[in-house]
Amino acid sequence: MIQTQTVLDVADNSGARKVMCIKVLGGSKRKYATIGDIIVVAVKEAIPNAKVKKGDVAKAVIVRTAKEIGRSDGSYIRFDNNSAVLVDNHHEPIGTRIFGPVARELRAKRFLKIISLAPEVL
């Protein structure tokens, strides 16, 4: 569960290293986001000469959360950290590579490009 002020790792090569959630999209009263949800983030840490700079505001899709999520078969999945992938306004990833595993729930949310770039889908 990601909420405002949560700091996330970035799981792509867009140049950002750490981002902070500044808004959860999907309604004015919405407090939390989980895997597959889109959030608005501020870049807090970035590498030099990259596509995004420190202080930029962008949209991101959550690909891993430390809070477990239940699946329809009764199992649960959780990850060691909270991670996101920066996306543009058409929900396409800004980076060209994805690092680490991503959850299968992204397929149902139509993030097929992220699924295809990821090395492992859990």
Side-chain angles (χ1 to χ4, degrees):
M1 294 198 322
I2 308 300
Q3 60 186 346
T4 306
Q5 300 287 314
T6 302
V7 176
L8 302 99
D9 298 327
V10 178
D12 63 12
N13 65 342
S14 60
R17 287 289 171 245
K18 297 267 187 198
V19 293
M20 184 178 74
C21 174
I22 56 176
K23 187 69 178 172
V24 176
L25 297 181
S28 61
K29 303 257 190 266
R30 187 145 183 219
K31 284 187 181 180
Y32 306 112
T34 186
I35 291 176
D37 290 339
I38 298 174
I39 59 174
V40 180
V41 297
V43 177
K44 289 296 184 184
E45 187 180 316
I47 61 172
N49 303 324
K51 295 177 189 170
V52 295
K53 306 280 186 260
K54 181 181 175 185
D56 285 355
V57 175
K59 290 184 180 176
V61 175
I62 300 168
V63 295
R64 292 192 289 270
T65 59
K67 175 69 177 169
E68 70 277 353
I69 57 169
R71 291 189 166 162
S72 58
D73 63 356
S75 64
Y76 291 89
I77 184 166
R78 70 169 170 234
F79 297 93
D80 291 337
N81 57 1
N82 297 317
S83 296
V85 172
L86 297 182
V87 294
D88 60 14
N89 287 329
H90 303 295
H91 303 316
E92 297 291 321
I94 292 175
T96 55
R97 295 175 63 202
I98 306 290
F99 305 116
V102 299
R104 193 180 304 122
E105 283 76 7
L106 292 175
R107 187 181 303 278
K109 301 271 181 111
R110 301 277 186 217
F111 293 108
L112 300 178
K113 181 79 174 195
I114 294 174
I115 292 278
S116 66
L117 290 173
E120 189 176 7
V121 180
L122 297 178

